[in-house]
Amino acid sequence: MNKTGIAITVTSNGMGHPIVANPGDWTRHITDLRHILGRVTPPCDNQSHPLIYMTFSASGTYIAVARTISGRLGDNVAAWLYIPDRIDIRGEEVAVIIDRLGQLINAGRLPDEAELSEEFAECYAPAAMHTAAFSSDPEGSLAWRRIGVDELEELAGTFRRRPYYAEYCGVILAHEGQTVAGAVDLTEYPLDDIDAADDEDISSEITVPKPQLVPPVPPHPAGHRLCRQWQPYALGALGGFILGLLAAYIIGYCDSHNFRLHAAWPPIEAVPITETPAGGAPSDTIPTDTVTSSAGFTALQIAEAVTYLDTCKVWNKADMDSMPPIAGLWDALNECRYDDVAGYAIRLDGSDALKAIADTLKAFTPNVLYGIPLNISGDTAITPETYGSLLRATAKKHKQ
């Protein structure tokens, strides 16, 4: 079905039989909303904003628009919108449908199935991109997030399927003045930063992962150097044979899956420097404590920079400029110089946080934000988890 599904229910002393347009298996997800409506203050009657409630299945999104009606506590009329993941529907189209459903449940007479089917007969093109499948957790907590003016098309449309919503039984989009008792506030959670369907200059939707802790680099005294330590073990003939088979399997698996060693393993240790005697054979150690990368930075400097990027929730310009491997990176990020940021990401290959940022920035074509400062003058902090949102907001502002 390349159409949206629509259903209207009246609950009065029990939920009545739904009026359905474009029926299908999706209708079994229609639920009684009395326990949800009871959590919202003020009541969602015809004198206030309606309830907007979202749940999810592996095949799509269900958005309920509901109002309480006179009668028993919790009696209501609700209109459900089902959006299959496989259709291409824009955020503003979803917002228009939700507004229309609000009008229908607020009218004195509800439409019959023929009228409803005629009004919502539009067929949509197949979706070019498919979001990750997930379902709401029926045992999870209720969640909510504040919806501001003109945000409906984003929160219920473009960004309706956020992977972290899978932890909750459902999500209420609360208007200004509405409060939800006993629910988790997700208002400040990121909207996964960038959406391909809503922005012609973005190639894909990219999520900046949470920073991962990289163990600190141990100090190394004079006369020692830093290196990765592979510990030898004494093995018998059988043990050596088994280890050889295991190593062959791991190498083949990693090669086929494009794996790489993490920056923090094997562990970095300080080992004594062995000098090469005059005229002697070259030693297998390096007679210096400045083990450098191709860019001319020591292993300690690189490791400290990676640790900073992957453990700090806020990147400060002064802190970053004080570290040689990432000096100037803050300015490149702030001015959206994606090519320069990509260079830093190659240099600091062990930083997952910087790699995600670089991939996010690369999604913008050069003529969108290149050279345009994201932060206002005097603001010297960048938050990695919200960097994508800042990019998107700045891009929209400069398109207007």
mmCIF file of all heavy atoms in Angstrom, residues 307-334:
data_model
loop_
_atom_site.group_PDB
_atom_site.id
_atom_site.type_symbol
_atom_site.label_atom_id
_atom_site.label_comp_id
_atom_site.label_asym_id
_atom_site.label_seq_id
_atom_site.Cartn_x
_atom_site.Cartn_y
_atom_site.Cartn_z
ATOM 1 N N THR A 307 42.334 11.164 22.903
ATOM 2 C CA THR A 307 41.649 11.067 24.197
ATOM 3 C C THR A 307 40.771 12.282 24.440
ATOM 4 O O THR A 307 39.635 12.173 24.900
ATOM 5 C CB THR A 307 42.685 10.929 25.328
ATOM 6 O OG1 THR A 307 43.458 9.746 25.119
ATOM 7 C CG2 THR A 307 42.007 10.839 26.685
ATOM 8 N N TYR A 308 41.312 13.461 24.134
ATOM 9 C CA TYR A 308 40.526 14.695 24.320
ATOM 10 C C TYR A 308 39.264 14.670 23.464
ATOM 11 O O TYR A 308 38.154 14.938 23.954
ATOM 12 C CB TYR A 308 41.379 15.911 23.950
ATOM 13 C CG TYR A 308 40.640 17.234 24.064
ATOM 14 C CD1 TYR A 308 40.607 17.929 25.256
ATOM 15 C CD2 TYR A 308 39.943 17.763 22.972
ATOM 16 C CE1 TYR A 308 39.921 19.132 25.371
ATOM 17 C CE2 TYR A 308 39.253 18.956 23.076
ATOM 18 C CZ TYR A 308 39.244 19.641 24.277
ATOM 19 O OH TYR A 308 38.544 20.806 24.377
ATOM 20 N N LEU A 309 39.405 14.355 22.185
ATOM 21 C CA LEU A 309 38.262 14.393 21.267
ATOM 22 C C LEU A 309 37.199 13.365 21.625
ATOM 23 O O LEU A 309 35.999 13.621 21.477
ATOM 24 C CB LEU A 309 38.744 14.157 19.834
ATOM 25 C CG LEU A 309 39.658 15.226 19.233
ATOM 26 C CD1 LEU A 309 40.175 14.772 17.879
ATOM 27 C CD2 LEU A 309 38.946 16.572 19.104
ATOM 28 N N ASP A 310 37.615 12.194 22.102
ATOM 29 C CA ASP A 310 36.660 11.120 22.341
ATOM 30 C C ASP A 310 36.117 11.081 23.759
ATOM 31 O O ASP A 310 35.234 10.267 24.055
ATOM 32 C CB ASP A 310 37.291 9.761 22.012
ATOM 33 C CG ASP A 310 37.362 9.511 20.514
ATOM 34 O OD1 ASP A 310 36.964 10.419 19.757
ATOM 35 O OD2 ASP A 310 37.813 8.432 20.105
ATOM 36 N N THR A 311 36.608 11.929 24.647
ATOM 37 C CA THR A 311 36.095 11.932 26.023
ATOM 38 C C THR A 311 35.479 13.254 26.444
ATOM 39 O O THR A 311 34.677 13.276 27.376
ATOM 40 C CB THR A 311 37.216 11.587 27.024
ATOM 41 O OG1 THR A 311 38.268 12.546 26.923
ATOM 42 C CG2 THR A 311 37.771 10.196 26.764
ATOM 43 N N CYS A 312 35.816 14.341 25.773
ATOM 44 C CA CYS A 312 35.279 15.654 26.149
ATOM 45 C C CYS A 312 33.944 15.904 25.447
ATOM 46 O O CYS A 312 33.854 15.790 24.223
ATOM 47 C CB CYS A 312 36.266 16.766 25.806
ATOM 48 S SG CYS A 312 37.748 16.735 26.822
ATOM 49 N N LYS A 313 32.939 16.257 26.202
ATOM 50 C CA LYS A 313 31.628 16.532 25.627
ATOM 51 C C LYS A 313 31.570 17.899 24.949
ATOM 52 O O LYS A 313 30.679 18.150 24.136
ATOM 53 C CB LYS A 313 30.544 16.427 26.707
ATOM 54 C CG LYS A 313 30.360 15.011 27.245
ATOM 55 C CD LYS A 313 29.206 14.938 28.217
ATOM 56 C CE LYS A 313 28.977 13.511 28.690
ATOM 57 N NZ LYS A 313 27.846 13.428 29.643
ATOM 58 N N VAL A 314 32.485 18.781 25.329
ATOM 59 C CA VAL A 314 32.568 20.114 24.717
ATOM 60 C C VAL A 314 34.009 20.333 24.269
ATOM 61 O O VAL A 314 34.947 20.112 25.041
ATOM 62 C CB VAL A 314 32.141 21.219 25.698
ATOM 63 C CG1 VAL A 314 32.314 22.593 25.055
ATOM 64 C CG2 VAL A 314 30.700 21.022 26.143
ATOM 65 N N TRP A 315 34.182 20.736 23.011
ATOM 66 C CA TRP A 315 35.507 21.008 22.469
ATOM 67 C C TRP A 315 35.759 22.510 22.550
ATOM 68 O O TRP A 315 35.052 23.300 21.916
ATOM 69 C CB TRP A 315 35.611 20.532 21.028
ATOM 70 C CG TRP A 315 35.513 19.040 20.886
ATOM 71 C CD1 TRP A 315 35.537 18.121 21.880
ATOM 72 C CD2 TRP A 315 35.380 18.310 19.668
ATOM 73 N NE1 TRP A 315 35.426 16.848 21.371
ATOM 74 C CE2 TRP A 315 35.333 16.934 20.012
ATOM 75 C CE3 TRP A 315 35.301 18.658 18.331
ATOM 76 C CZ2 TRP A 315 35.193 15.922 19.050
ATOM 77 C CZ3 TRP A 315 35.174 17.657 17.370
ATOM 78 C CH2 TRP A 315 35.124 16.315 17.733
ATOM 79 N N ASN A 316 36.775 22.881 23.318
ATOM 80 C CA ASN A 316 37.103 24.287 23.537
ATOM 81 C C ASN A 316 38.258 24.715 22.638
ATOM 82 O O ASN A 316 39.253 24.001 22.510
ATOM 83 C CB ASN A 316 37.462 24.493 25.016
ATOM 84 C CG ASN A 316 37.735 25.944 25.350
ATOM 85 O OD1 ASN A 316 38.846 26.420 25.197
ATOM 86 N ND2 ASN A 316 36.708 26.638 25.817
ATOM 87 N N LYS A 317 38.146 25.865 22.032
ATOM 88 C CA LYS A 317 39.160 26.340 21.079
ATOM 89 C C LYS A 317 40.537 26.450 21.714
ATOM 90 O O LYS A 317 41.541 25.987 21.151
ATOM 91 C CB LYS A 317 38.733 27.686 20.491
ATOM 92 C CG LYS A 317 39.790 28.332 19.590
ATOM 93 C CD LYS A 317 39.265 29.604 18.953
ATOM 94 C CE LYS A 317 40.380 30.390 18.298
ATOM 95 N NZ LYS A 317 41.124 29.623 17.284
ATOM 96 N N ALA A 318 40.604 27.035 22.911
ATOM 97 C CA ALA A 318 41.906 27.219 23.554
ATOM 98 C C ALA A 318 42.558 25.877 23.874
ATOM 99 O O ALA A 318 43.768 25.695 23.676
ATOM 100 C CB ALA A 318 41.753 28.047 24.830
ATOM 101 N N ASP A 319 41.749 24.919 24.369
ATOM 102 C CA ASP A 319 42.289 23.595 24.672
ATOM 103 C C ASP A 319 42.823 22.923 23.422
ATOM 104 O O ASP A 319 43.914 22.341 23.426
ATOM 105 C CB ASP A 319 41.203 22.712 25.299
ATOM 106 C CG ASP A 319 40.770 23.196 26.674
ATOM 107 O OD1 ASP A 319 41.548 23.947 27.301
ATOM 108 O OD2 ASP A 319 39.665 22.830 27.110
ATOM 109 N N MET A 320 42.050 22.987 22.343
ATOM 110 C CA MET A 320 42.445 22.309 21.115
ATOM 111 C C MET A 320 43.672 22.952 20.475
ATOM 112 O O MET A 320 44.564 22.264 19.984
ATOM 113 C CB MET A 320 41.265 22.278 20.144
ATOM 114 C CG MET A 320 40.091 21.446 20.660
ATOM 115 S SD MET A 320 38.612 21.554 19.641
ATOM 116 C CE MET A 320 39.118 20.626 18.188
ATOM 117 N N ASP A 321 43.737 24.277 20.496
ATOM 118 C CA ASP A 321 44.891 24.966 19.896
ATOM 119 C C ASP A 321 46.172 24.728 20.689
ATOM 120 O O ASP A 321 47.279 24.928 20.163
ATOM 121 C CB ASP A 321 44.615 26.468 19.785
ATOM 122 C CG ASP A 321 43.645 26.794 18.660
ATOM 123 O OD1 ASP A 321 43.401 25.905 17.823
ATOM 124 O OD2 ASP A 321 43.131 27.930 18.617
ATOM 125 N N SER A 322 46.038 24.296 21.946
ATOM 126 C CA SER A 322 47.231 24.023 22.756
ATOM 127 C C SER A 322 47.819 22.644 22.472
ATOM 128 O O SER A 322 48.904 22.331 22.955
ATOM 129 C CB SER A 322 46.887 24.141 24.250
ATOM 130 O OG SER A 322 46.041 23.067 24.665
ATOM 131 N N MET A 323 47.102 21.815 21.706
ATOM 132 C CA MET A 323 47.573 20.475 21.363
ATOM 133 C C MET A 323 48.021 20.476 19.912
ATOM 134 O O MET A 323 47.196 20.657 19.009
ATOM 135 C CB MET A 323 46.453 19.438 21.571
ATOM 136 C CG MET A 323 45.916 19.396 22.986
ATOM 137 S SD MET A 323 44.619 18.145 23.154
ATOM 138 C CE MET A 323 44.008 18.542 24.794
ATOM 139 N N PRO A 324 49.296 20.277 19.631
ATOM 140 C CA PRO A 324 49.808 20.395 18.256
ATOM 141 C C PRO A 324 49.033 19.597 17.205
ATOM 142 O O PRO A 324 48.750 20.143 16.127
ATOM 143 C CB PRO A 324 51.263 19.915 18.389
ATOM 144 C CG PRO A 324 51.639 20.255 19.792
ATOM 145 C CD PRO A 324 50.394 20.030 20.598
ATOM 146 N N PRO A 325 48.627 18.337 17.434
ATOM 147 C CA PRO A 325 47.947 17.595 16.365
ATOM 148 C C PRO A 325 46.587 18.169 15.976
ATOM 149 O O PRO A 325 46.104 17.935 14.871
ATOM 150 C CB PRO A 325 47.798 16.185 16.951
ATOM 151 C CG PRO A 325 48.840 16.090 18.010
ATOM 152 C CD PRO A 325 48.922 17.465 18.588
ATOM 153 N N ILE A 326 45.942 18.908 16.905
ATOM 154 C CA ILE A 326 44.611 19.437 16.582
ATOM 155 C C ILE A 326 44.565 20.960 16.642
ATOM 156 O O ILE A 326 43.482 21.551 16.656
ATOM 157 C CB ILE A 326 43.518 18.842 17.503
ATOM 158 C CG1 ILE A 326 43.870 19.050 18.988
ATOM 159 C CG2 ILE A 326 43.296 17.375 17.191
ATOM 160 C CD1 ILE A 326 42.749 18.568 19.924
ATOM 161 N N ALA A 327 45.733 21.601 16.666
ATOM 162 C CA ALA A 327 45.750 23.063 16.603
ATOM 163 C C ALA A 327 45.151 23.505 15.266
ATOM 164 O O ALA A 327 45.541 23.025 14.212
ATOM 165 C CB ALA A 327 47.184 23.567 16.737
ATOM 166 N N GLY A 328 44.182 24.392 15.322
ATOM 167 C CA GLY A 328 43.500 24.861 14.112
ATOM 168 C C GLY A 328 42.262 24.064 13.752
ATOM 169 O O GLY A 328 41.470 24.499 12.909
ATOM 170 N N LEU A 329 42.065 22.901 14.377
ATOM 171 C CA LEU A 329 40.888 22.087 14.054
ATOM 172 C C LEU A 329 39.594 22.790 14.442
ATOM 173 O O LEU A 329 38.606 22.734 13.709
ATOM 174 C CB LEU A 329 40.982 20.730 14.757
ATOM 175 C CG LEU A 329 39.749 19.821 14.651
ATOM 176 C CD1 LEU A 329 39.383 19.542 13.199
ATOM 177 C CD2 LEU A 329 39.979 18.507 15.418
ATOM 178 N N TRP A 330 39.610 23.473 15.589
ATOM 179 C CA TRP A 330 38.388 24.155 16.029
ATOM 180 C C TRP A 330 37.935 25.176 14.980
ATOM 181 O O TRP A 330 36.759 25.251 14.649
ATOM 182 C CB TRP A 330 38.622 24.844 17.373
ATOM 183 C CG TRP A 330 37.348 25.332 18.014
ATOM 184 C CD1 TRP A 330 36.589 24.685 18.946
ATOM 185 C CD2 TRP A 330 36.674 26.573 17.745
ATOM 186 N NE1 TRP A 330 35.481 25.431 19.279
ATOM 187 C CE2 TRP A 330 35.517 26.606 18.553
ATOM 188 C CE3 TRP A 330 36.933 27.649 16.910
ATOM 189 C CZ2 TRP A 330 34.617 27.673 18.538
ATOM 190 C CZ3 TRP A 330 36.033 28.723 16.900
ATOM 191 C CH2 TRP A 330 34.901 28.730 17.701
ATOM 192 N N ASP A 331 38.872 25.946 14.451
ATOM 193 C CA ASP A 331 38.519 26.944 13.432
ATOM 194 C C ASP A 331 37.988 26.270 12.172
ATOM 195 O O ASP A 331 37.041 26.770 11.541
ATOM 196 C CB ASP A 331 39.735 27.804 13.093
ATOM 197 C CG ASP A 331 40.140 28.718 14.233
ATOM 198 O OD1 ASP A 331 39.293 29.500 14.701
ATOM 199 O OD2 ASP A 331 41.303 28.643 14.664
ATOM 200 N N ALA A 332 38.590 25.154 11.786
ATOM 201 C CA ALA A 332 38.112 24.437 10.597
ATOM 202 C C ALA A 332 36.684 23.934 10.796
ATOM 203 O O ALA A 332 35.856 24.007 9.885
ATOM 204 C CB ALA A 332 39.050 23.271 10.282
ATOM 205 N N LEU A 333 36.384 23.433 12.007
ATOM 206 C CA LEU A 333 35.026 22.978 12.310
ATOM 207 C C LEU A 333 34.047 24.144 12.328
ATOM 208 O O LEU A 333 32.939 24.056 11.784
ATOM 209 C CB LEU A 333 35.010 22.263 13.661
ATOM 210 C CG LEU A 333 35.707 20.911 13.730
ATOM 211 C CD1 LEU A 333 35.872 20.472 15.183
ATOM 212 C CD2 LEU A 333 34.924 19.859 12.947
ATOM 213 N N ASN A 334 34.452 25.231 12.950
ATOM 214 C CA ASN A 334 33.565 26.388 13.067
ATOM 215 C C ASN A 334 33.278 27.014 11.710
ATOM 216 O O ASN A 334 32.183 27.529 11.478
ATOM 217 C CB ASN A 334 34.189 27.425 13.996
ATOM 218 C CG ASN A 334 33.264 28.593 14.280
ATOM 219 O OD1 ASN A 334 32.106 28.399 14.642
ATOM 220 N ND2 ASN A 334 33.763 29.805 14.113
#
